[in-house]
């Protein structure tokens, strides 16, 4: 009953967004014949992006009919190996754009048109745009079928609503467009306190102090300790939290997080929507070093320098809490989900008598978001950090380190050059150049790699020219010059001379050891045919689009990694 009243009040309070009618009366449900359960909500903190829509479960299967949520037209169809895989975009008459991702196929007329364009352009992918007269739709018209394509770990529909002029993504649950069954309040899992001090205009942080949290009752939490939390002259709190929905085991993101001190609100984070240029700023909303190792959302109850103001309707003193020695104050934190369920955590803090004073090594260099900086390690390595690439000012200390152990097929060609810690979030790319003596036979296969937080090497690309590898990256970590010498592993998933007359597709497995699959091409009897890649499954698939003729055919697949290593597989079959 509390859930029903909450949703009714919510819908009544949200009658218009930018002049549009919203809510259930304006849209119909985007997928048919499903149980209406969910696996992800809008604005969840993902690696390097906010989740831009909601994920609707399709009962563990593909092929559920997808329908237009309102009158409009199909304005775009895309096919890609990653991201949304097969996706459709509908421009609606009410000023919104609806996005459907991870489809198995489009409806027949759209599917045939897209296939024809792929043949004409000899491209495995597609990005096609249409005017209003090409594919008009009424609410409820079938537009395609659910699937598991792109960067999808299981069958589901990724659904978005955007404001068409600005492409601002909208919180469809908070606006009442989609109404999940949900009377479960968020879970507050853990609390952290971080004290800071300034040095040369850079906020230096003391090591975080963590506190356990227990649930007293549904929606009410307390710390495991009875005594007040010790706080310094200046600091802020970090909250680990997650949310649930009825009927599923998935965890979800928090819609709103608010904090008060002595009864006065001083901080509020709210996820009502965002434009694409702000998506990566999830790394500024979260406490990024902690978020990297947590399954929960780890939200900083403070605003760092370049975190967008749009996410913070309430913000006093950037969320910093000040306490004098011995001073006792009362903190209240409230977490709310997008269906209006709330949880609270209250506790006392007391100012400590000791003070944290920032210190850094004498060789440390300050990097600031408002300026471009270039770091060098001798003549061997250089990193340029453009203006706006950082979210806040930091100290760094470049140095040479021992390179990590190489994966199979990878040759290490330089030491590791350390510029940025792996816990440094980047809003935009930094530019790296590293010199190395590379044997001529390895030069075409040479690129830059980065040592990630787990100590493993990950490819970031680049080209070796004039004695150096140059590349851009939005990941932080030690830089190493490597050569990838191992070609992709490719295997036909059908026997030689197999009878495929009743098969729907020709399937291959494909994987790569390091630099990743960059290109592939499939021919049947010497004629190019489109081939879809499913990276989560590790497969390449050609869906047959001509009738079986009971004749013998030869398929030849070529797969190339990002370093130019290529594998060819040829196999005959009957169809």
């Amino acid at each position: 009953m509390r859930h029903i009243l909450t949703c009714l009040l919510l819908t009544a309070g949200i009658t218009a967004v930018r002049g549009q009618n919203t809510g259930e009366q304006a849209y119909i449900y985007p997928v048919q014949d499903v149980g209406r359960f969910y696996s992800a909500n809008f604005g969840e903190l993902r690696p390097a992006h906010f989740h831009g829509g909601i994920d609707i479960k399709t009962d563990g299967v593909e092929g559920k009919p997808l329908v237009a949520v309102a009158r409009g037209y199909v304005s775009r169809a895309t096919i890609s190996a990653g991201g949304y895989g097969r996706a459709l975009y509908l421009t609606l008459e009410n000023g919104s754009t609806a996005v459907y991702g991870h489809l198995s196929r489009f409806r027949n007329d759209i599917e045939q048109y897209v296939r024809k364009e792929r043949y004409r352009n000899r491209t495995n992918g597609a990005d096609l745009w249409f005017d209003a007269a090409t594919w008009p739709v009424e609410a409820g018209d079938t537009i395609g079928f659910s699937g598991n394509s792109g960067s999808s770990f299981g069958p589901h529909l990724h659904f978005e609503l955007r404001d068409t002029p600005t492409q601002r993504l909208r919180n469809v649950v908070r606006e009442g467009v989609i109404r999940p069954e949900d009377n479960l309040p968020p879970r507050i899992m853990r609390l952290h306190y971080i004290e800071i001090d300034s040095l040369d205009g850079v906020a230096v942080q003391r090591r975080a102090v963590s506190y356990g949290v227990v649930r007293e009752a549904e929606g009410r939490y307390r710390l495991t300790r009875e005594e007040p939390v010790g706080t310094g002259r200046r600091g802020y709190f970090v909250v680990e939290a997650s949310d649930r929905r009825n009927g599923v085991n998935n965890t979800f993101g928090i819609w709103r997080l608010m904090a008060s001190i002595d009864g006065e609100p001083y901080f509020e984070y709210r996820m009502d929507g965002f434009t694409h240029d702000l998506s990566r700023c999830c790394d500024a909303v979260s406490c990024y070093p902690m978020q990297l190792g947590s399954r929960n959302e780890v939200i900083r109850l403070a605003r760092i320098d370049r975190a967008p103001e749009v996410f913070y309707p309430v913000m006093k003193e950037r969320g910093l809490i000040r306490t004098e020695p011995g001073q006792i104050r009362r903190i209240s934190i409230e977490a709310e989900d997008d269906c209006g369920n709330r949880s609270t955590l209250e506790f006392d803090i007391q100012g400590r008598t000791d003070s944290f004073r920032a210190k850094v090594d004498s060789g440390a260099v300050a990097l600031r978001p408002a300026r471009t900086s270039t770091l060098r390690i001798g003549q061997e390595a250089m990193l340029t950090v453009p203006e706006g690439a950082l979210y806040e000012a930091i100290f760094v200390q470049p140095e040479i380190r021992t390179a990590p152990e190489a994966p199979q097929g990878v040759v290490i060609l330089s030491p590791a050059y350390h510029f940025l810690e792996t816990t440094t979030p980047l809003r935009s790319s930094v530019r790296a150049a590293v010199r190395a003596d590379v044997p001529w036979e390895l030069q075409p296969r040479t690129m830059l790699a980065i040592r990630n937080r787990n100590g493993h090497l990950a490819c970031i690309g680049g080209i070796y020219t004039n004695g150096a590898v140059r590349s851009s990256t939005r990941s932080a970590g030690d830089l190493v010059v490597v050569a990838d010498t191992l070609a992709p592993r490719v295997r036909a998933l059908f026997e030689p001379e197999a009878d495929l007359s009743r098969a729907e597709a020709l399937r291959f497995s494909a994987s790569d050891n390091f630099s990743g699959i960059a290109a592939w091409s499939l021919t049947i009897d010497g004629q190019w045919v489109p081939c879809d890649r499913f990276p989560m499954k590790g497969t390449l698939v050609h869906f047959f689009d001509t009738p079986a003729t009971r004749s013998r055919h030869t398929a030849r697949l070529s797969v190339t990694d990002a370093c130019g290593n290529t594998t060819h597989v040829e196999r005959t079959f009957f169809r």
Side-chain angles (χ1 to χ4, degrees):
M1 178 61 73
R2 179 161 66 94
H3 164 66
I4 296 173
L5 289 174
T6 298
C7 285
L8 287 174
L9 290 170
L10 173 61
T11 305
I14 307 175
T15 57
V17 176
R18 297 175 297 279
Q20 303 170 23
N21 291 325
T22 63
E24 194 172 28
Q25 71 279 4
Y27 299 93
I28 64 173
Y29 205 69
V31 56
Q32 295 182 339
D33 305 330
V34 295
R36 299 199 180 193
F37 294 109
Y38 305 86
S39 56
N41 66 338
F42 179 83
E44 287 182 7
L45 303 180
R46 299 286 181 85
H49 71 283
F50 291 112
H51 189 231
I54 63 168
D55 288 348
I56 302 173
K57 288 177 176 281
T58 56
D59 302 336
V61 299
E62 302 182 30
K64 297 290 186 177
L66 307 178
V67 297
V69 292
R71 177 186 295 174
Y73 66 96
V74 177
S75 52
R76 187 183 182 193
T78 64
I79 298 176
S80 61
Y84 297 161
R86 284 179 179 249
L88 284 176
Y89 296 69
L90 271 60
T91 298
L92 308 177
E93 288 185 355
N94 63 13
S96 297
T97 297
V99 182
Y100 302 70
H102 307 307
L103 279 63
S104 60
R105 58 189 175 91
F106 310 129
R107 78 181 189 199
N108 287 341
D109 52 351
I110 301 175
E111 183 73 31
Q112 291 171 7
Y113 180 87
V114 172
R115 183 187 304 132
K116 182 179 70 174
E117 289 299 299
R118 296 173 77 186
Y119 273 105
R120 185 173 69 87
N121 296 313
R122 294 173 63 92
T123 56
N124 291 311
D127 189 356
L128 304 174
W129 294 74
F130 312 107
D131 59 28
T134 307
W135 312 111
V137 293
E138 296 290 333
D141 284 354
T142 298
I143 59 171
F145 299 88
S146 69
N148 189 26
S149 59
S151 300
S152 171
F153 291 94
H156 73 281
L157 170 67
H158 174 90
F159 177 73
E160 297 176 6
L161 275 183
R162 305 176 181 178
D163 174 59
T164 299
T166 64
Q167 289 295 289
R168 179 181 182 270
L169 295 108
R170 295 164 47 188
N171 190 330
V172 295
V173 171
R174 196 61 197 171
E175 293 183 17
V177 176
I178 301 292
R179 302 185 180 195
E181 182 181 352
D182 183 3
N183 62 4
L184 304 175
R187 292 176 172 177
I188 300 176
M189 314 297 288
R190 200 160 177 80
L191 180 76
H192 310 274
Y193 175 72
I194 298 176
E195 189 177 356
I196 67 168
D197 188 27
S198 294
L199 184 64
D200 193 22
V202 179
V204 179
Q205 301 184 0
R206 196 176 197 174
R207 185 182 180 88
V209 181
S210 301
Y211 301 94
V213 176
V214 295
R215 186 177 66 177
E216 287 188 314
E218 191 78 347
R220 191 168 74 246
Y221 291 80
R222 64 173 176 82
L223 298 182
T224 55
R225 56 183 282 152
E226 299 293 336
E227 62 271 24
V229 170
T231 53
R233 293 176 300 119
R234 286 191 304 161
Y236 61 87
F237 285 101
V238 175
V239 170
E240 286 194 53
S242 65
D243 190 40
R244 300 165 294 159
R245 294 212 197 284
N246 298 63
V248 297
N249 294 322
N250 305 79
T251 57
F252 298 84
I254 302 298
W255 169 64
R256 173 178 168 270
L257 199 61
M258 190 193 75
S260 300
I261 184 166
D262 297 332
E264 292 293 326
Y266 74 91
F267 170 91
E268 183 179 359
Y269 161 73
R270 183 181 296 187
M271 175 43 68
D272 284 328
F274 59 92
T275 50
H276 286 283
D277 61 305
L278 299 182
S279 181
R280 195 172 176 88
C281 294
C282 67
D283 292 342
V285 166
S286 72
C287 185
Y288 185 72
M290 295 183 184
Q291 185 68 67
L292 290 172
S294 177
R295 293 184 177 182
N296 306 309
E297 293 200 323
V298 187
I299 299 177
R300 188 196 314 257
L301 273 61
R303 177 173 171 258
I304 60 176
D305 188 13
R306 294 301 176 96
E309 294 183 8
V310 67
F311 299 124
Y312 304 106
V314 176
M315 181 63 66
K316 295 182 179 179
E317 290 196 73
R318 305 186 73 86
L320 296 179
I321 295 173
R322 301 177 185 271
T323 49
E324 298 298 328
Q327 182 184 17
I328 295 179
R329 310 188 74 177
R330 184 71 171 173
I331 301 293
S332 177
I333 297 172
E334 181 179 87
E336 183 175 356
D337 67 21
D338 49 16
C339 283
N341 304 296
R342 300 178 182 179
S343 293
T344 58
L345 168 67
E346 295 189 2
F347 56 93
D348 289 330
I349 62 174
Q350 184 172 19
R352 293 195 304 261
T353 56
D354 64 311
S355 296
F356 167 58
R357 298 297 180 183
K359 296 180 181 179
V360 296
D361 293 338
S362 58
V365 179
L367 303 182
R368 307 180 193 278
R371 67 177 66 162
T372 297
S373 300
T374 298
L375 303 170
R376 289 182 171 83
I377 298 177
Q379 300 297 315
E380 291 79 28
M382 178 177 69
L383 185 76
T384 299
V385 183
E387 176 184 350
L390 298 174
Y391 290 107
E392 61 180 337
I394 59 173
F395 282 109
V396 298
Q397 192 159 7
E399 62 179 354
I400 299 177
R401 296 177 173 178
T402 303
E405 185 178 344
Q408 182 183 6
V410 175
V411 180
I412 302 294
L413 297 168
S414 78
Y417 296 96
H418 173 76
F419 291 104
L420 301 174
E421 297 292 342
T422 58
T423 52
T424 304
L426 296 173
R427 182 168 183 177
S428 58
S429 296
V430 296
R431 301 187 298 273
V434 180
R435 302 194 66 83
D437 293 326
V438 179
W440 69 268
E441 67 272 13
L442 293 180
Q443 292 180 8
R445 306 289 185 260
T446 298
M447 59 170 51
L448 274 182
I450 200 162
R451 175 160 44 192
N452 60 27
R453 66 187 181 93
N454 296 320
H456 301 145
L457 284 176
C459 168
I460 61 174
I463 299 174
Y464 183 82
T465 55
N466 299 322
V469 185
R470 293 170 175 81
S471 184
S472 296
T473 179
R474 291 200 292 187
S475 298
D478 298 349
L479 299 169
V480 183
V481 178
V482 301
D484 181 2
T485 64
L486 201 61
R489 295 178 293 274
V490 184
R491 180 171 60 89
L493 297 178
F494 55 95
E495 296 298 323
E497 308 292 322
D499 184 356
L500 302 181
S501 56
R502 294 186 179 181
E504 67 168 359
L506 200 63
R507 301 178 187 274
F508 300 82
S509 68
S511 61
D512 189 65
N513 66 311
F514 186 70
S515 60
I517 293 173
W520 61 96
S521 180
L522 175 65
T523 62
I524 297 179
D525 300 333
Q527 300 297 311
W528 182 91
V529 295
C531 186
D532 292 356
R533 182 178 173 220
F534 297 87
M536 302 299 110
K537 300 177 182 178
T539 58
L540 290 165
V541 181
H542 167 68
F543 293 97
F544 292 126
D545 49 22
T546 57
T549 60
R550 303 291 298 174
S551 55
R552 189 171 185 267
H553 304 278
T554 300
R556 190 174 194 269
L557 176 65
S558 299
V559 181
T560 304
D561 67 16
C563 277
N565 300 298
T566 300
T567 298
H568 305 284
V569 171
E570 187 171 298
R571 181 157 291 184
T572 57
F573 64 96
F574 284 87
R575 184 175 183 274

